Amino acid sequence: MRRLWGRLRPSLIVALPVLLLATAAAFGIEAWRMERANRTIAALEAGTDAAVSPGAPPPVLAARVAFLAKRGRLDEAEPLLSVLEAGDDRGDLARARYALANARMREAFGLLARGELDKAGPLVTLSRQDYRRALRERPDFWDAKFNLDVASRLIRDYPELDRTDGDELRAEPKKIWTDIPGQPRGGP
């Protein structure tokens, strides 16, 4: 055992400082990356546009999506959202979906204020889908639940009606329900 220790000792004396130096360098590089990501997030939240590559960490991508959504640049946010969907961070994906849904709701409210009801409907529907997707990723997301409720009250889900003959409308009996608040949904 002494002979083995005698042979390994010089190698360990040289290898240990090199190993510790490499570990310290790795931690230093990771700290630098985190600091850089935090600065980018802070700049985006402060309203300063910052370029973000698709390979950026998920929190940076979510901050960029929120930045673009607040400015109505939804077409630029969609590719970043698909990158987030491919990743493993479900919380950041939920926040990005929520920001996108809020942007669509703001646009829909603007259209509703101008009386353009036909154009507002699809935006409300898309925002409801994004709120639901955010809740699928993070079920405890209370703000998304609240906003989904507001969006659902703006435009109700009506039964699928099968229109084939002129003014006559047919629907399957199990898809019909009353939509009047306070009215019972069942038999007597």
Side-chain angles (χ1 to χ4, degrees):
M1 188 61 130
R2 261 186 164 195
R3 269 191 256 166
L4 181 64
W5 176 247
R7 281 190 294 172
L8 289 178
R9 186 173 168 211
S11 300
L12 285 176
I13 290 175
V14 172
L16 192 58
V18 171
L19 181 64
L20 290 175
L21 184 61
T23 303
F27 281 123
I29 290 170
E30 186 61 29
W32 174 75
R33 285 183 184 158
M34 287 175 53
E35 175 61 29
R36 190 169 143 213
N38 287 338
R39 276 185 288 162
T40 304
I41 291 170
L44 290 168
E45 289 177 351
T48 305
D49 197 2
V52 173
S53 71
V60 175
L61 293 173
R64 177 71 175 165
V65 168
F67 174 84
L68 294 171
K70 284 180 185 175
R71 281 142 188 87
R73 296 162 50 187
L74 303 181
D75 293 338
E76 295 176 50
E78 289 292 337
L80 298 176
L81 198 61
S82 62
V83 172
L84 278 171
E85 285 175 346
D88 294 334
D89 196 337
R90 303 325 292 152
D92 288 320
L93 176 59
R95 282 194 301 279
R97 285 257 177 229
Y98 175 74
L100 211 57
N102 283 344
R104 288 188 172 124
M105 281 301 292
R106 277 192 299 276
E107 190 175 343
F109 281 133
L111 291 170
L112 289 171
R114 290 190 302 266
E116 300 178 31
L117 303 177
D118 291 338
K119 292 180 182 177
L123 289 173
V124 173
T125 303
L126 287 173
S127 67
R128 278 195 326 215
Q129 289 173 356
D130 280 333
Y131 287 133
R132 284 188 182 115
R133 288 177 185 156
L135 286 170
R136 210 173 306 134
E137 300 302 331
R138 201 173 123 203
D140 63 335
F141 199 172
W142 191 87
D143 290 339
K145 288 179 187 179
F146 182 83
N147 289 1
L148 174 62
D149 184 51
V150 170
S152 295
R153 290 172 191 255
L154 275 176
I155 296 180
R156 300 280 184 178
D157 287 327
Y158 290 106
E160 291 288 326
L161 299 175
D162 187 20
R163 183 178 284 213
T164 56
D165 299 332
D167 292 336
E168 184 180 325
L169 298 176
R170 290 182 293 157
E172 292 181 30
K174 58 185 169 185
K175 290 186 178 179
I176 296 178
W177 67 86
T178 181
D179 200 27
I180 302 170
Q183 294 293 323
R185 291 188 179 201

